[in-house]
Amino acid sequence: MKLLYTVNSPYARKVRIVASEKHIEITLEEVVLAAPDCPVKNYNPLGKVPVLVLTDGDSLYDSRVIVEYLDNRTPLAHLIPQDLGAKIKVRRWEALADGVCDAAVATMLEQRKAAPMQDAAFIDRQLSKVSSGLQALNNDLGKNKWCVNGTFSLADIAVGCMLGYVNFRLGTVINLSAEYPNLEHLQTALLKRQSFKDSLPVA
Ligand SMILES: N[C@@H](CCC(=O)N[C@@H](CS)C(=O)NCC(=O)O)C(=O)O
């Protein structure tokens, strides 16, 4: 299996961490999305990473589908609980963490435009989604060690990838330790894991 990814995509990082935590070997193929010969569009009509290319040539996307596929490749140490109630909770955490990433990515893309082309109101709207998402996640986590039912799961991985991305792209406007201390605590615990250390964003 081959994962098409970009090194700083938080969605691709989620997949890389799930594969690592589940001890599933995948070949990593870094791509440049803007390159004319970028292979991603051959496997995902949306042209987005991550894409998992299976051994039979079929492909899976997006990250939420890929992580479910990987989690079910091996029966041990499920990161998505089998129990439906717990599974829905985990997937909601993931949806919110991914949604914060969507808003952070949209902010970054808008800020990359030449100054006169930037839409300040659009940036404000996206930043407000980032901060309300962070606030909700920080409140829901409270003083718990892990996001759902006291067990390390995909919810923690999704939140950790989002925090890494927000720190990386918006670290100058969002102060995790001052504003979202519960999330900072979670991030500190996650950064002790080899899977997180091996997939840090690269400047
Ligand atoms: N919901 C998707 C989001 C994927 C996504 O937006 N990936 C970005 C990179 S961080 C991308 O490929 N952007 C290229 C584009 O939108 O054309 C997932 O979870 O995989």
Side-chain angles (χ1 to χ4, degrees):
M1 286 184 295
K2 180 171 70 174
L3 183 74
L4 305 182
Y5 80 109
T6 56
V7 75
N8 289 326
S9 164
Y11 317 99
R13 187 180 185 204
K14 186 172 48 154
V15 171
R16 288 154 68 201
I17 290 174
V18 165
S20 165
E21 292 284 344
K22 298 279 295 183
H23 303 287
I24 296 171
E25 257 191 57
I26 49 176
T27 305
L28 294 177
E29 183 174 327
E30 192 179 343
V31 297
V32 178
L33 288 166
D37 60 347
C38 178
V40 169
K41 57 186 175 307
N42 302 330
Y43 296 103
N44 177 357
L46 300 175
K48 295 184 180 201
V49 289
V51 178
L52 186 68
V53 183
L54 304 179
T55 42
D56 65 3
D58 204 359
S59 56
L60 297 180
Y61 48 84
D62 61 8
S63 65
R64 296 183 212 180
V65 173
I66 302 172
V67 294
E68 181 146 359
Y69 173 78
L70 292 177
D71 197 41
N72 284 292
R73 291 271 299 187
T74 60
L76 295 176
H78 272 295
L79 295 166
I80 303 173
Q82 303 287 282
D83 167 74
L84 183 62
K87 172 178 171 163
I88 293 296
K89 278 190 199 169
V90 164
R91 302 239 83 168
R92 196 188 86 152
W93 278 83
E94 182 191 22
L96 184 48
D98 282 9
V100 172
C101 288
D102 295 344
V105 169
T107 304
M108 183 269 298
L109 292 176
E110 190 65 21
Q111 287 174 333
R112 276 190 182 168
K113 292 181 182 169
M117 305 290 286
Q118 288 181 21
D119 180 341
F122 176 83
I123 292 175
D124 282 353
R125 270 201 311 281
Q126 299 307 319
L127 285 175
S128 125
K129 289 178 201 288
V130 171
S131 38
S132 54
L134 287 170
Q135 194 60 64
L137 293 165
N138 188 70
N139 293 347
D140 287 354
L141 179 62
K143 297 296 166 206
N144 297 313
K145 177 164 188 207
W146 303 121
C147 299
V148 177
N149 297 350
T151 308
F152 176 70
S153 74
L154 175 65
D156 305 290
I157 295 173
V159 172
C161 292
M162 177 277 290
L163 292 173
Y165 188 77
V166 164
N167 257 337
F168 178 59
R169 294 287 187 210
L170 303 173
T172 51
V173 284
I174 284 163
N175 183 340
L176 266 194
S177 57
E179 297 171 83
Y180 312 104
N182 301 333
L183 293 179
E184 217 226 352
H185 198 250
L186 174 64
Q187 190 184 40
T188 305
L190 291 170
L191 284 171
K192 294 189 178 132
R193 302 180 86 90
Q194 198 58 44
S195 59
F196 273 79
K197 287 185 196 164
D198 288 344
S199 58
L200 289 168
V202 178

